[in-house]
């Protein structure tokens, strides 16, 4: 697997959506951390349909450093699709995924590599929250991972975001999966192999704003759970069973009461209550069913999970001779 020689190539995959002010800093930090160790690395920046100057910033980086490559998606396909696009292009024996905003410290890549050299094929970065991270974000994230692990039995911890090292075997296994509903955090834990966790202290966003609004976070959570668990569907069976047992019991009670004690008083309120409650449960469960049918609909279309509009990379000849920063024409 891993060898410590210079021939080992490390790929760093960076999904970027409107990150014009973050990328140069990230690149600088990666150079600062990795270059003293004389490592060969490539940095694949996936421009996920940015509408700011991200594309131009990537081009500048590619011009100044031969190890940088830009992959521009045709539109905004989302964080997970951008990660997948980067994994598909990565050539390294080890591949690290890292966000563009420096919330995840590049210095931890060295520790990940040390674990990789010990034989671990997936190393999950586990975030220790920055004290200034919003209370809301911290709590919602923790709750999501608890619910996710409970429902899916896939052990994801709070703080396992998308800062991760993959060995080539793990990358190839992940790329062989065809599901449209790609949720890398779940898949990385699901594929198996020898896995390790590496805690890191989160930083604050170096510039720009989070791309995960509350709405996007809810959609992300729903996608994660429905693509890994059918428990919500089973919930319908449990609830239906419970309601049937309760109503049977109630029916028996009313009948006995009718014959042996007194005639029941007309109870409009309780009737309305019962009907509206049952209607509510029905709607909820139909909604759950709809979620899954929707997922099936997306899967059967077999659409590509992302579309690459263009790639910006140094010419192969240049890349072969290059070990570090140098100006070179782009392909
Ligand atoms: N991102 C992306 N496509 C999107 C949303 C986000 O490529 O549609 C990237 C973003 O540029 C960043 C990473 O995914 O590098 C994580 O996003 P962000 O930092 O906004 O999320 P947070 O850390 O706040 O959860
Ligand atoms: Mg972030």
């Amino acid at each position: 697997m891993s060898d410590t020689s210079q021939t080992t190539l490390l790929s760093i995959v960076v999904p970027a959506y409107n990150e014009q002010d973050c990328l140069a800093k990230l690149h600088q930090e990666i150079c600062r951390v990795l270059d003293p160790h004389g490592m060969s690395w490539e940095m694949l920046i996936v421009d996920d349909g940015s509408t700011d100057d991200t594309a131009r910033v990537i081009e500048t980086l590619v011009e100044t450093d031969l190890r940088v490559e830009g992959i521009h998606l045709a539109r905004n396909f989302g964080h997970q699709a951008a990660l997948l696009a980067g994994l598909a292009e990565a050539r390294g024996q080890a591949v690290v995924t890292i966000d563009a905003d420096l919330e995840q410290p590049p210095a931890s890549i060295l520790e990940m590599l040390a674990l990789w050299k010990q034989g671990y094929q997936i190393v999950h970065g586990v975030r220790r929250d920055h004290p200034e991270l919003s209370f809301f974000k911290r709590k919602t994230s923790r709750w999501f991972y608890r619910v996710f692990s409970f429902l899916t039995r896939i052990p994801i911890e709070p703080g396992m975001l998308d800062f991760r090292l993959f060995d080539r075997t793990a990358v190839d296994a992940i790329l062989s999966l065809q599901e449209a509903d790609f949720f890398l955090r779940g898949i990385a834990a699901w594929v198996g192999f020898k896995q390790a966790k590496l805690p890191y202290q989160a930083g604050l966003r170096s510039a720009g704003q989070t791309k995960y609004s509350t709405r996007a976070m809810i959609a992300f959570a729903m996608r994660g759970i429905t693509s890994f668990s059918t428990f919500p569907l089973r919930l319908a069976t449990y609830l239906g069973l419970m309601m049937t047992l309760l109503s049977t019991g109630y029916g028996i009670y009313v009948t006995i009461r009718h014959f042996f004690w007194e005639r029941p008083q007309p109870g409009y309120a309780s009737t309305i209550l019962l009907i509206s409650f049952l209607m509510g449960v029905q709607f909820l469960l139909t909604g759950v069913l709809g979620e899954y049918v929707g997922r099936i609909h997306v899967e059967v279309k077999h659409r590509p999970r992302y579309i690459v509009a263009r790639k910006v990379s140094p010419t192969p000849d240049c890349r072969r001779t290059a070990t570090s920063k140098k100006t070179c024409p782009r392909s």
Side-chain angles (χ1 to χ4, degrees):
M1 182 195 306
S2 51
D3 86 77
T4 47
S5 72
Q6 288 242 347
T7 53
T8 304
L9 177 69
L10 167 70
S11 301
I12 302 166
V13 170
V14 186
Y17 177 49
N18 293 345
E19 302 285 10
Q20 60 177 24
D21 298 321
C22 293
L23 288 172
K25 282 184 215 160
L26 176 71
H27 172 255
Q28 212 174 23
E29 188 60 17
I30 287 175
C31 292
R32 192 187 66 77
V33 169
L34 297 182
D35 286 349
H37 298 270
M39 299 192 44
S40 313
W41 54 269
E42 60 173 8
M43 179 179 180
L44 306 173
I45 308 175
V46 185
D47 172 11
D48 187 17
S50 299
T51 50
D52 67 353
D53 257 351
T54 296
R56 199 186 45 78
V57 172
I58 294 175
E59 277 175 27
T60 313
L61 285 174
V62 174
E63 270 163 17
T64 52
D65 189 341
L66 295 176
R67 300 166 297 184
V68 180
E69 192 169 322
I71 300 153
H72 298 271
L73 301 188
R75 64 167 169 84
N76 178 247
F77 280 89
H79 184 192
Q80 300 295 300
L83 285 166
L84 181 61
L87 288 181
E89 296 294 328
R91 287 168 285 253
Q93 289 93 321
V95 183
V96 166
T97 56
I98 186 167
D99 287 352
D101 55 15
L102 282 176
E103 280 181 1
Q104 302 157 346
S108 296
I109 295 177
L110 293 175
E111 295 172 66
M112 287 181 164
L113 283 168
L115 285 165
W116 176 61
K117 283 168 189 165
Q118 285 172 28
Y120 290 100
Q121 288 149 302
I122 297 183
V123 183
H124 304 272
V126 183
R127 178 177 73 180
R128 300 259 173 277
D129 290 336
H130 191 281
E132 282 178 42
L133 187 76
S134 85
F135 178 78
F136 178 71
K137 194 129 192 166
R138 202 161 32 211
K139 286 291 167 207
T140 46
S141 162
R142 288 196 173 273
W143 272 103
F144 168 67
Y145 290 106
R146 292 232 169 88
V147 173
F148 184 91
S149 306
F150 172 73
L151 293 181
T152 62
R153 308 265 170 248
I154 292 176
I156 312 192
E157 276 183 30
M160 271 193 197
L161 308 178
D162 289 307
F163 183 30
R164 204 172 268 108
L165 179 143
F166 297 94
D167 180 65
R168 172 50 47 196
T169 41
V171 174
D172 290 342
I174 289 169
L175 293 176
S176 73
L177 303 174
Q178 292 302 315
E179 56 202 279
D181 221 348
F182 187 76
F183 184 65
L184 185 56
R185 293 174 199 188
I187 287 171
W190 176 87
V191 282
F193 298 111
K194 210 172 160 215
Q195 308 204 353
K197 293 172 200 160
L198 178 77
Y200 68 91
Q201 181 60 50
L204 279 179
R205 220 173 206 288
S206 65
Q209 292 197 339
T210 175
K211 310 301 174 308
Y212 280 101
S213 60
T214 309
R215 206 174 131 200
M217 266 158 50
I218 293 171
F220 186 72
M222 295 264 280
R223 226 175 102 179
I225 287 172
T226 51
S227 75
F228 275 94
S229 168
T230 47
F231 181 83
L233 283 176
R234 231 177 307 140
L235 201 70
T237 320
Y238 294 150
L239 270 173
L241 199 71
M242 203 176 79
M243 294 307 298
T244 315
L245 285 177
L246 277 177
S247 55
T248 311
Y250 185 67
I252 294 170
Y253 165 73
V254 170
T255 315
I256 294 174
R257 199 172 127 166
H258 177 80
F259 287 112
F260 296 101
W261 288 293
E262 55 185 311
R263 284 169 182 272
Q265 295 298 316
Y268 293 111
S270 56
T271 313
I272 299 281
L273 204 79
L274 204 66
I275 291 176
S276 55
F277 174 70
L278 287 178
M279 292 271 284
V281 172
Q282 284 278 358
F283 276 128
L284 182 81
L285 298 180
T286 315
V288 170
L289 212 65
E291 275 295 322
Y292 283 91
V293 176
R295 297 279 170 255
I296 296 168
H297 177 66
V298 171
E299 294 286 346
V300 296
K301 279 191 282 194
H302 288 302
R303 282 197 185 145
R305 293 169 285 188
Y306 58 85
I307 296 169
V308 176
R310 67 194 169 95
K311 293 181 197 168
V312 186
S313 56
T315 56
D317 279 350
C318 262
R319 191 185 277 284
R320 254 199 301 281
T321 53
T323 49
S324 66
K325 297 182 187 186
K326 187 163 92 180
T327 308
C328 196
R330 280 179 286 116
S331 60

